[in-house]
Amino acid sequence: MTPIILSGLGIGILFGFALQRGRFCMNSAFRDIVVLKDYTLIKSVTVALLTSMAGFAIMVLTNTITINPKPILWAGNLVGSFIFGIGMVIAGGCASGITYRVGEGMVGAMTAVLGLMITATLTASGFLAPVKNWLQQWKYPTEGASATVASLFGVDYPYMALGIVVVAVILWVILARRNKEEAAPKQGSLLNRIFKQGWGWLPTGIAIGLVGIAAFPLSAASGRNYPLGITSGWVKITQLVLPSVPTENSLKWDMWLIVGIVVGAAVAALIAKEFKFRVPKWTVLIQTFFGGALMGFGAVCSTGCNIGHVLSGIPQLSIGSLLAGLAIVLGSWLTAYLMFVRPMASGD
Amino acid sequence: MTDAITPTKTLDVKGKICPYPDMDTMTTLKKMKKGEILEVLLDYPLSVERLPRSAKKWGHKVLSIEALEGPNHRILIEAFGLKD
């Protein structure tokens, strides 16, 4: 019992700390591409994916972990994650984004989490479960190991993963040399830069990737063979308050991970003097609650949110997770276009 | 130092959720004349870092970024005059 609490909570605190310092949010990463033409966070996301991919591959080669990619659920992944993508733009944050902002004191994120908790639990085990089961009936392959980019090419996972990382890093270095950007000015001591200032995209991506690497064997040791995930942890927290579900079922690694994220983000925000209870208008609270509700439903239908599929699934080269990631991006772009790009272009 | 500058307009986006602090600022700047100065008051850490990047990208000039109490910040931006 205790090791689960310690490792889940510990990884969560590190994750929450890195999320808050790096302002790492996939909603902003995807949405900013079309709305603000800002590519800082998408670079962070890419670095995190490549770091985790390299780490997972090395851990497979050293027999530290066995990868556990999610299967392809055609309708579940595409429809569920598309709805998730719509929801996160409305909620103003992805699953990890709204979770760490709870620790920053943002009340709009708290209502988004509440919406996510309710619908995720109802979709996992409540009256929305038949909808999820119907969407998840088209599964490929129906039995056996999940399809990955590696199995598609008939290559062993670690070699495929390391190959992708090497090619991506080489391409990136070449591209970065072509369009040199001005580096952000560095000021103050190292401690100041870690605890007081926001991190740059490169250290943020590496830190998040490393947390994902550390999470995999620790979570596996607790009997849950998967790296980071958000939605399942919130479902387990919700089940704690439901009398019909035995408590021991919910006291799991992914639940402590969530507690840790909120604590880690709160500690980071307090040290940097960024903690404050921020209450938006009540209409915004309803908006984020509704967005969170769409996210909870979509994530459970797709068997994962942006963390379970994008941050944890894509580095395992799961094709189902790649489809889910694509659907999240498309859902977020469509919503961002309707909510922000079109109104801004019309002049007011 | 920045006290000497009198802003033409003040925009308070404190408490707003992502990405409204940035959106509201950019649409306000778009309507301002060249040389007019916008004072933005915000408390959202991500936007404190992202807003100056976006403003520069559209040709506006970031005059100062000042940390106030807690997460509150005051950013002064000189409009490029996109409407001119």
Side-chain angles (χ1 to χ4, degrees):
Chain A
M1 191 72 247
T2 323
I4 295 180
I5 298 179
L6 284 181
S7 81
L9 198 63
I11 289 292
I13 290 174
L14 290 175
F15 193 27
F17 193 90
L19 289 170
Q20 203 279 333
R21 296 287 66 218
R23 291 82 166 88
F24 187 92
C25 178
M26 288 199 203
N27 173 46
S28 298
F30 299 149
R31 186 206 56 213
D32 286 356
I33 295 174
V34 292
V35 177
L36 297 166
K37 311 266 186 287
D38 191 274
Y39 308 113
T40 313
L41 278 165
I42 196 69
K43 287 194 272 193
S44 258
V45 171
T46 313
V47 171
L49 293 188
L50 292 173
T51 307
S52 278
M53 206 182 284
F56 293 175
I58 291 166
M59 288 195 294
V60 168
L61 285 174
T62 55
N63 292 319
T64 315
I65 55 159
T66 320
I67 55 157
N68 184 19
K70 292 178 192 280
I72 302 174
L73 300 165
W74 295 106
N77 290 151
L78 292 174
V79 177
S81 290
F82 188 76
I83 293 172
F84 179 89
I86 296 171
M88 73 179 188
V89 175
I90 297 173
C94 61
S96 49
I98 57 176
T99 304
Y100 95 72
R101 289 192 193 110
V102 168
E104 277 185 339
M106 297 193 70
V107 179
M110 294 174 197
T111 47
V113 162
L114 189 68
L116 177 135
M117 288 167 87
I118 293 172
T119 57
T121 309
L122 288 176
T123 314
S125 55
F127 80 92
L128 289 170
V131 184
K132 170 200 68 176
N133 294 336
W134 183 79
L135 278 172
Q136 292 183 347
Q137 62 184 302
W138 297 280
K139 185 181 171 186
Y140 179 85
T142 41
E143 269 172 50
S146 300
T148 67
V149 178
S151 69
L152 194 70
F153 288 96
V155 183
D156 277 348
Y157 165 77
Y159 304 109
M160 189 79 206
L162 288 174
I164 292 173
V165 173
V166 169
V167 171
V169 170
I170 292 173
L171 281 179
W172 194 321
V173 171
I174 295 173
L175 282 175
R177 278 209 180 159
R178 278 211 191 142
N179 5 306
K180 272 214 160 155
E181 11 173 343
E182 55 176 307
K186 286 177 180 161
Q187 326 154 344
S189 66
L190 184 65
L191 278 180
N192 222 16
R193 292 220 300 271
I194 293 174
F195 291 104
K196 298 281 171 134
Q197 298 169 6
W199 296 351
W201 59 268
L202 187 61
T204 303
I206 293 173
I208 302 278
L210 289 175
V211 173
I213 294 170
F216 210 149
L218 289 172
S219 173
S222 81
R224 173 187 172 276
N225 187 27
Y226 206 74
L228 301 167
I230 300 286
T231 316
S232 62
W234 280 119
V235 169
K236 283 172 187 146
I237 290 175
T238 315
Q239 287 171 343
L240 271 184
V241 294
L242 297 176
S244 58
V245 182
T247 311
E248 64 265 31
N249 285 353
S250 43
L251 292 172
K252 291 284 168 60
W253 195 89
D254 39 353
M255 191 202 91
W256 291 109
L257 178 78
I258 299 300
V259 178
I261 294 172
V262 175
V263 172
V267 169
L270 282 168
I271 296 175
K273 297 210 181 92
E274 287 174 348
F275 183 89
K276 181 182 151 194
F277 278 106
R278 277 156 273 206
V279 192
K281 277 191 302 189
W282 66 272
T283 47
V284 176
L285 294 177
I286 291 172
Q287 177 194 327
T288 60
F289 177 85
F290 176 69
L294 287 176
M295 289 162 76
F297 171 75
V300 174
C301 287
S302 182
T303 69
C305 57
N306 60 299
I307 294 297
H309 274 311
V310 180
L311 190 65
S312 302
I314 293 179
Q316 297 184 65
L317 303 179
S318 154
I319 294 176
S321 291
L322 279 165
L323 288 176
L326 185 73
I328 292 175
V329 171
L330 292 178
S332 86
W333 282 356
L334 174 74
T335 317
Y337 176 79
L338 295 174
M339 273 177 78
F340 306 116
V341 179
R342 221 173 45 167
M344 196 152 74
S346 68
D348 24 55
Chain B
M1 188 177 73
T2 54
D3 290 340
I5 302 167
T6 320
T8 319
K9 205 171 189 174
T10 297
L11 185 67
D12 187 347
V13 290
K14 289 200 294 288
K16 293 216 172 182
I17 61 158
C18 198
Y20 288 101
D22 311 62
M23 294 283 306
D24 293 357
T25 307
M26 298 314 290
T27 40
T28 307
L29 280 168
K30 210 170 151 185
K31 287 183 229 157
M32 291 173 71
K33 293 200 181 84
K34 189 173 177 66
E36 287 188 327
I37 290 160
L38 179 67
E39 175 188 48
V40 189
L41 301 171
L42 71 171
D43 61 5
Y44 180 55
L46 174 56
S47 292
V48 172
E49 287 157 22
R50 183 174 54 193
L51 187 55
R53 288 201 299 265
S54 306
K56 275 182 208 157
K57 195 164 283 180
W58 290 93
H60 309 295
K61 196 172 158 196
V62 180
L63 301 176
S64 70
I65 305 165
E66 196 185 336
L68 308 173
E69 192 168 325
N72 296 340
H73 281 75
R74 174 174 180 258
I75 302 182
L76 290 177
I77 306 169
E78 188 183 314
F80 176 69
L82 292 166
K83 276 268 159 104
D84 293 351

